[in-house]
Amino acid sequence: MGIKRLVRLWGTILTILLLVACQRLPEPQPLKADSQWLQGQLDNGMQYHLRPVSGEPVSLRLLVHAGAVDETAEQAGYAHFLEHMAFLGSSGFDAKKVESLFADAGVSFGHDLNAFTTHDITSYQIDLPNNKRLDSAITWFSDIATGKLTLDPSLIENEKGAVFGEFRAAQRGDKPAELKVFEALLENSRYEGRDVLGTQESIHRLNRDGLMAFYRAHYLPQQTELIITGDINSKQLELMISRYFGEADLGVTEALVDQPVTTESEREGIAGLTSEPLFISGAAGQQAGIGLLLEFSDSQVTTDTEYQAVLLENAVLQAIGQRLKDRHIEAQSPLLNSFSGTSLIINRYIGEIVVEFSESERLAAQQFFAEELASLRDYGIGDAELATIKETWRNDIKSLDTQWLHKKAVDFSEDRLNALMVGKTQQPKEAVRSQLKQFVAQLDQESLNKAIKKYLGAANNKLVLLLTREENAEKAKATLALFQKQLSAEGKELLMASSSATFPLPEKGGEITSYEAIEPTTHRWTLENGIDVWLRQMPKAGGDVHLYLMSSGGMAALPPELYHAAKMVGPVFARSGLAGFTASEFDKLLLRHNTYLEPVIWETSHGLYSVTGKQELPFALSVLNQAMTSATVNEQQFTAVQHELAIEQDNWLSSPFGSFVSQVVGTLYPSESPMQTVTGDDFEQATPKQVQAVIDTLMRKKRNFTLVVSADIEVGEFNRMLRRYVAGISFEAESDTGAEITPVITDYRTGPKVSTASKKVMEAVDNTVNYEVNLFSQGEPKTTRDRFTSDLFYRLLDKRYRDELRNAQGLSYDPYVQLTWFDGSGEALVAFVVNAAPDKLNAVRISTQRVLEKARMGFTADEFAAAKSQLAADMKSRLTNPQEQALMLSSYLLFGADPQAAIHPEKIMSKLTLDEVNALSVRLIGKDTQQMEAMLTPREGSS
């Protein structure tokens, strides 16, 4: 008896132990790394990462694990300054050769050739259109990495001017709220008080010896990584890398070669969040608000458990963001905006939930925010919300092949760089798919609501009260205790509406009246309702479909009394719902069908833009049909939108820069121009009938509507969809005279004024000057060739301006040129724009006029050849981008340009001449143009 009992007892214990073991969570497994990368390490410790992508451009990144955190107090800003100097001379490149050499190959400075510095790293970038200059790129990178930068003292002094310009742009006295929050999150860590730009005092003191000492101490092989992707031969590259990087300059590494290097993964990160609230005042023009910060995962995601945790955090923010958006619309809350997202702060992801509102409505807005968060925390989301969230994740899985298909060499390089910076494993496509499928399979209402409750109820969540500059901070702080009480109270359970209804199909279809195969991949139809349809078959589109249903006209087709209402159409459309669905229901429907829809009203054209999945194209076309024929303004939602827009616009106009822009525009254009800046009062005077009139005028009339679609889809399949969903779109009936209502295609003119505007800031926000010169010209609308020559002219003039004011004079960090020439318009505006120190204003004015006068004399053959190479490289990239192709072809078709030039731009570019560009220059900036100068200056005596 006793023995049997003993055996039975041990059997029970064994069964319990087995059950406990089965219930244990599985051990975290390492994420599968992308095996397409060839990784290696030289004897000196330098690492490289190579990924061949046949037929692709070549993309290179040089990553140095040295940044602002490695500086002493005396060296503040040295890492960033050294990054600047890398472009200004080395043993193999003189001060001008880096940019000029690569420009000849089609590389654009700032876009393809660039660099950046953070607290922890410095990264250099070259994106080549092909592999012909690969040897030069590697040579320059090796010069940087192996101690061969020249660091010319005279160039150092000149570059200080550009860096001080960067201070004016980034280290403003009037800091935006988000920058202040970032700085606060660095407190109590080794990053506290460290600005990547350093201090103006340290940059003033900087000299060659000090900068060279930093360079020699930190640009070490064992702290350097090289990334190369594209049309490359890995074996040949390994030999080149060994030859160029294998022997660093002995002066750099001889004394330090055995010095241990702190790797990114070993570095101490930021401190954890605390519950101590932040009170942050925004910059001029920023809204009042309140935010909740949540502490999320570490950036070093290397196991499946860590990856799944990050996905769940994203889903939590997705659920919160969607609920706030829905409830804001349904309850017509006092909020102006709400958003949620994740920011990477050094080494940790921080969840952000932020709402903005008018300061006068702080109490009501904070109560709404607290009650909505409490409801989510205590009761979670409903069935319909979960269904929408899961469907968006399933759509991500479906679109994974298309995402990978769209990846270019530059994308692989950027992905690798980001992975190395944060210490995460870079996975191949199928591993990502597997992880996403696992996440969706496990995501249910219980698990997501549990996570929402966990994060919203965490003790270390940090509240941030965003204060406007004008408000009494003490009044805002006094509301904190009430908000905390409201947030801690038990939430209310909400009755969430179901969104199970399906979107209605068009009541009737229509016929195709003509079809033409323009070329094997380009097709054209004319429909019985007058819509012209073009299909660009693009295998690179994968599962994505981009649609532009557009007409010429836009603001130029409206009477002046509708201008203000036209600028409200987008947000009013988004809040009015469609086809019997409320805005919240319609938004969920679009999310579930992986479809985006946006009304477009530009200066001279208008219509609808949509992007959808190939399998969802019938749904997207149904939505387009309904938007064209039955979009109706919801008057109740109009009132809410009107109130929000008026507050936001007046707040911006009250800032010095907003006031400046308003004055400049008011001086440039006549009062009846659609270019005039809208005020809050203008929005308040608009009516729902006016917004509906804009929609009816632009969308319901029979104009030259053209539908351009970029997709990987068969002609026969597309034929059927056109008949069912597009050919049945009905327009307004014929007029009483029997004539059809014709399109309004205008030669858009604003009749600019000629004068000088100078706005003195009434408040010394920042000790800086914004300066611009505007030149107006009149002529004929753009021809097909003008579209290319104007692009070349802009590139040439912009480079001249940057070379003079930044590189030669050191007057500004980022001087630039803008060219505005609307489709269908004979009026063009060229603007020189620069930010500078107040005591440099006269030098800026002289230098700007010098650039202008020299440009009027024409450009050189060498400049023209370099700009042409850059344009050719850009156009090649656009030809494989389905959205760019759809947009470009739509513009060409609407305004009488040759569509073949959009499809085969090389045929036009090969025939362009320097004489054409110089002739256009005379028109756009010649002495007959109207010139206006404008300045935004600080108050006298400000510092």
Side-chain angles (χ1 to χ4, degrees):
M1 289 280 296
I3 294 176
K4 287 182 180 179
R5 287 175 183 172
L6 183 61
V7 170
R8 191 176 297 138
L9 176 63
W10 279 111
T12 302
I13 293 173
L14 181 59
T15 301
I16 292 173
L17 289 174
L18 286 171
L19 286 172
V20 171
C22 290
Q23 291 172 356
R24 287 177 184 166
L25 293 175
E27 289 294 323
Q29 298 299 310
L31 291 172
K32 182 179 180 180
D34 190 346
S35 62
Q36 295 296 310
W37 286 92
L38 172 63
Q39 300 180 72
Q41 181 171 317
L42 303 182
D43 291 341
N44 61 14
M46 184 266 197
Q47 298 181 58
Y48 57 86
H49 312 260
L50 311 177
R51 184 184 180 117
V53 188
S54 180
E56 272 286 304
V58 176
S59 180
L60 302 93
R61 301 291 182 272
L62 179 69
L63 171 62
V64 182
H65 291 277
V69 78
D70 300 295
E71 301 161 345
T72 65
E74 293 74 21
Q75 295 172 331
Y78 278 32
H80 171 256
F81 200 96
L82 185 59
E83 169 223 307
H84 278 235
M85 294 306 298
F87 293 85
L88 297 176
S90 66
S91 62
F93 299 86
D94 62 31
K96 296 182 179 180
K97 190 176 180 182
V98 172
E99 184 177 345
S100 62
L101 175 67
F102 295 116
D104 292 342
V107 172
S108 300
F109 182 81
H111 181 262
D112 307 308
L113 179 65
N114 214 331
F116 68 86
T117 306
T118 72
H119 284 80
D120 291 307
I121 66 101
T122 305
S123 174
Y124 300 89
Q125 163 198 342
I126 309 179
D127 294 321
L128 302 169
N130 49 54
N131 56 20
K132 293 180 181 178
R133 290 288 169 85
L134 179 56
D135 188 84
S136 297
I138 291 177
T139 301
W140 181 52
F141 273 7
S142 71
D143 279 0
I144 297 171
T146 59
K148 296 172 184 170
L149 293 183
T150 309
L151 305 186
D152 185 306
S154 64
L155 294 177
I156 287 175
E157 291 306 310
N158 188 73
E159 194 63 18
K160 287 182 181 180
V163 172
F164 287 136
E166 201 168 352
F167 271 100
R168 287 191 297 275
Q171 274 194 353
R172 293 158 36 196
D174 190 33
K175 291 182 181 179
E178 54 270 23
L179 178 57
K180 292 180 180 179
V181 172
F182 174 75
E183 291 174 343
L185 294 179
L186 301 187
E187 292 177 0
N188 301 316
S189 75
R190 64 200 298 260
Y191 299 88
E192 181 177 359
R194 293 181 182 270
D195 192 295
V196 172
L197 295 181
T199 67
Q200 296 200 36
E201 293 76 16
S202 68
I203 300 303
H204 272 297
R205 293 193 306 265
L206 183 148
N207 56 41
R208 185 183 190 278
D209 290 343
L211 191 60
M212 182 61 77
F214 181 86
Y215 182 32
R216 292 179 178 275
H218 296 288
Y219 275 54
L220 308 175
Q222 59 268 49
Q223 293 197 166
T224 305
E225 301 190 63
L226 177 67
I227 303 167
I228 307 178
T229 63
D231 196 2
I232 58 176
N233 183 308
S234 298
K235 290 185 178 179
Q236 292 178 0
L237 264 182
E238 284 192 292
L239 295 175
M240 289 179 64
I241 292 168
S242 179
R243 182 166 72 252
Y244 284 104
F245 292 88
E247 292 186 12
D249 186 297
L250 292 179
V252 178
T253 60
E254 188 175 58
L256 299 164
V257 71
D258 295 325
Q259 178 177 313
V261 177
T262 302
T263 65
E264 198 75 23
S265 61
E266 295 170 337
R267 287 182 166 178
E268 174 193 349
I270 64 168
L273 291 181
T274 67
S275 60
E276 187 68 24
L278 290 175
F279 299 92
I280 301 292
S281 61
Q286 287 196 292
Q287 304 290 350
I290 189 169
L292 186 67
L293 304 184
L294 316 175
E295 189 169 306
F296 279 174
S297 300
D298 189 276
S299 65
Q300 295 184 43
V301 179
T302 60
T303 69
D304 56 355
T305 303
E306 292 167 340
Y307 191 83
Q308 291 292 316
V310 169
L311 297 181
L312 183 58
E313 290 164 356
N314 288 333
V316 166
L317 286 180
Q318 183 182 0
I320 295 171
Q322 188 64 50
R323 171 67 70 85
L324 286 173
K325 181 179 178 181
D326 289 347
R327 289 286 294 154
H328 168 53
I329 295 172
E330 293 166 1
Q332 294 191 40
S333 79
L335 304 185
L336 296 175
N337 292 299
S338 68
F339 53 90
S340 60
T342 304
S343 290
L344 179 61
I345 310 296
I346 307 297
N347 68 309
R348 178 162 293 281
Y349 292 110
I350 300 295
E352 304 168 319
I353 311 164
V354 182
V355 296
E356 295 178 336
F357 40 78
S358 168
E359 184 53 46
S360 63
E361 297 181 295
R362 178 178 287 277
L363 281 174
Q366 289 184 171
Q367 179 178 357
F368 173 83
F369 186 48
E371 290 177 350
E372 294 305 320
L373 292 183
S375 175
L376 273 166
R377 179 195 64 216
D378 296 339
Y379 293 98
I381 61 170
D383 294 338
E385 291 171 304
L386 177 67
T388 299
I389 291 170
K390 293 194 71 168
E391 196 59 39
T392 60
W393 286 93
R394 292 190 186 101
N395 288 334
D396 286 344
I397 296 171
K398 293 175 187 175
S399 65
L400 206 57
D401 289 329
T402 299
Q403 291 176 26
W404 243 258
L405 184 65
H406 287 172
K407 280 182 181 288
K408 300 181 181 298
V410 61
D411 300 311
F412 286 116
S413 284
E414 285 294 301
D415 289 347
R416 192 63 161 190
L417 176 65
N418 291 329
L420 294 173
M421 286 172 58
V422 301
K424 69 179 181 182
T425 300
Q426 191 176 8
Q427 302 178 84
K429 178 180 66 176
E430 292 307 319
V432 173
R433 192 194 311 275
S434 176
Q435 290 290 337
L436 291 176
K437 284 184 174 180
Q438 177 184 337
F439 174 71
V440 173
Q442 295 175 348
L443 186 66
D444 56 24
Q445 204 166 345
E446 181 181 0
S447 63
L448 183 52
N449 285 339
K450 182 178 179 181
I452 292 172
K453 187 177 186 69
K454 168 191 169 183
Y455 284 112
L456 288 183
N460 62 335
N461 286 349
K462 182 176 286 293
L463 282 170
V464 181
L465 269 71
L466 306 173
L467 320 175
T468 56
R469 300 176 66 255
E470 295 80 11
E471 82 174 86
N472 184 331
E474 293 306 314
K475 288 183 180 179
K477 291 179 181 180
T479 68
L480 176 63
L482 176 59
F483 176 81
Q484 290 173 322
K485 180 179 179 181
Q486 292 165 339
L487 183 60
S488 61
E490 183 177 352
K492 299 177 182 177
E493 186 173 10
L494 300 177
L495 181 61
M496 304 304 297
S498 172
S499 299
S500 57
T502 58
F503 198 79
L505 295 174
E507 293 182 1
K508 65 183 182 69
E511 293 302 319
I512 296 170
T513 59
S514 69
Y515 163 76
E516 178 184 7
I518 304 297
E519 59 176 37
T521 60
T522 307
H523 308 266
R524 178 184 181 181
W525 293 260
T526 301
L527 309 183
E528 67 173 331
N529 57 4
I531 295 179
D532 197 30
V533 181
W534 287 66
L535 171 65
R536 285 282 286 130
Q537 291 174 303
M538 300 181 66
K540 278 286 187 181
D544 288 347
V545 179
H546 292 269
L547 309 95
Y548 280 94
L549 179 56
M550 300 289 291
S551 167
S552 60
M555 297 291 289
L558 296 171
E561 62 268 21
L562 293 183
Y563 288 163
H564 303 149
K567 295 179 180 180
M568 302 175 70
V569 167
V572 170
F573 176 88
R575 294 272 283 273
S576 293
L578 190 66
F581 289 83
T582 67
S584 297
E585 292 169 343
F586 183 50
D587 187 53
K588 288 187 178 68
L589 198 64
L590 291 174
L591 286 171
R592 289 204 299 274
H593 285 277
N594 195 26
T595 298
Y596 172 78
L597 176 70
E598 176 187 3
V600 173
I601 302 180
W602 291 329
E603 282 73 10
T604 60
S605 60
H606 64 271
L608 296 165
Y609 166 67
S610 180
V611 58
T612 188
K614 188 161 63 174
Q615 300 303 317
E616 300 290 353
L617 183 54
F619 168 80
L621 291 174
S622 292
V623 170
L624 282 180
N625 186 304
Q626 289 287 337
M628 290 292 293
T629 58
S630 62
T632 305
V633 173
N634 180 307
E635 295 194 12
Q636 192 176 24
Q637 292 297 336
F638 168 86
T639 302
V641 170
Q642 182 183 51
H643 178 64
E644 294 165 16
L645 291 177
I647 290 174
E648 291 174 341
Q649 190 70 0
D650 281 345
N651 194 28
W652 178 71
L653 288 173
S654 69
S655 70
F657 188 71
S659 175
F660 172 65
V661 170
S662 178
Q663 179 176 328
V664 170
V665 170
T667 306
L668 285 173
Y669 300 101
S671 58
E672 67 275 11
S673 167
M675 300 298 291
Q676 282 288 344
T677 304
V678 180
T679 67
D681 186 60
D682 292 332
F683 284 133
E684 293 286 4
Q685 297 303 314
T687 67
K689 288 184 178 179
Q690 288 179 322
V691 175
Q692 188 67 56
V694 173
I695 295 172
D696 293 345
T697 300
L698 298 183
M699 302 300 189
R700 305 279 164 78
K701 294 184 183 296
K702 192 170 186 179
R703 311 176 62 89
N704 61 331
F705 272 103
T706 302
L707 173 64
V708 179
V709 178
S710 292
D712 183 15
I713 189 170
E714 293 300 321
V715 169
E717 183 181 2
F718 193 58
N719 252 321
R720 292 188 293 273
M721 293 186 196
L722 289 179
R723 288 192 177 94
R724 181 70 182 89
Y725 303 103
V726 183
I729 294 175
S730 59
F731 295 99
E732 286 187 354
E734 294 180 348
S735 65
D736 294 338
T737 63
E740 288 188 340
I741 299 172
T742 56
V744 181
I745 304 176
T746 64
D747 178 7
Y748 178 62
R749 297 175 185 270
T750 59
K753 304 174 184 178
V754 184
S755 61
T756 300
S758 179
K759 165 73 176 176
K760 288 206 179 276
V761 181
M762 301 308 294
E763 180 180 6
V765 178
D766 283 304
N767 189 31
T768 186
V769 169
N770 289 297
Y771 174 82
E772 60 184 67
V773 174
N774 299 282
L775 296 102
F776 277 98
S777 62
Q778 296 282 0
E780 294 300 315
K782 284 183 288 191
T783 65
T784 302
R785 295 176 77 91
D786 285 336
R787 292 173 177 268
F788 295 90
T789 53
S790 61
D791 192 304
L792 292 172
F793 164 76
Y794 154 74
R795 293 170 188 269
L796 291 163
L797 190 60
D798 185 67
K799 185 178 188 307
R800 283 265 188 103
Y801 199 46
R802 177 165 45 82
D803 283 349
E804 175 69 19
L805 271 79
R806 186 193 191 285
N807 299 339
Q809 302 293 327
L811 295 172
S812 175
Y813 168 63
D814 188 27
Y816 62 94
V817 170
Q818 285 181 323
L819 170 59
T820 305
W821 190 357
F822 299 125
D823 290 334
S825 169
E827 180 180 287
L829 168 65
V830 176
F832 295 85
V833 183
V834 63
N835 175 280
D839 62 349
K840 300 296 184 182
L841 176 58
N842 192 51
V844 165
R845 298 173 82 173
I846 293 172
S847 295
T848 300
Q849 288 302 316
R850 183 186 301 122
V851 172
L852 180 56
E853 291 301 323
K854 288 184 177 180
R856 284 170 173 167
M857 296 168 64
F859 300 97
T860 68
D862 287 344
E863 289 176 302
F864 175 70
K868 200 172 177 181
S869 295
Q870 292 170 343
L871 176 57
D874 285 352
M875 291 302 297
K876 184 178 179 181
S877 175
R878 292 183 207 175
L879 289 175
T880 59
N881 183 312
Q883 182 180 5
E884 286 282 346
Q885 268 289 282
L887 178 59
M888 189 162 56
L889 186 55
S890 174
S891 170
Y892 278 50
L893 292 167
L894 289 178
F895 293 94
D898 182 1
Q900 287 289 340
I903 302 167
H904 301 290
E906 69 282 355
K907 294 181 179 180
I908 296 289
M909 289 191 292
S910 64
K911 299 175 182 178
L912 297 177
T913 67
L914 176 59
D915 288 342
E916 285 180 276
V917 175
N918 284 335
L920 182 65
S921 177
V922 171
R923 171 187 165 177
L924 297 181
I925 61 170
K927 293 184 178 179
D928 291 336
T929 55
Q930 304 176 66
Q931 182 171 324
M932 195 214 79
E933 180 185 58
M935 291 162 282
L936 172 64
T937 58
R939 184 176 57 191
E940 292 182 8
S942 66
S943 59

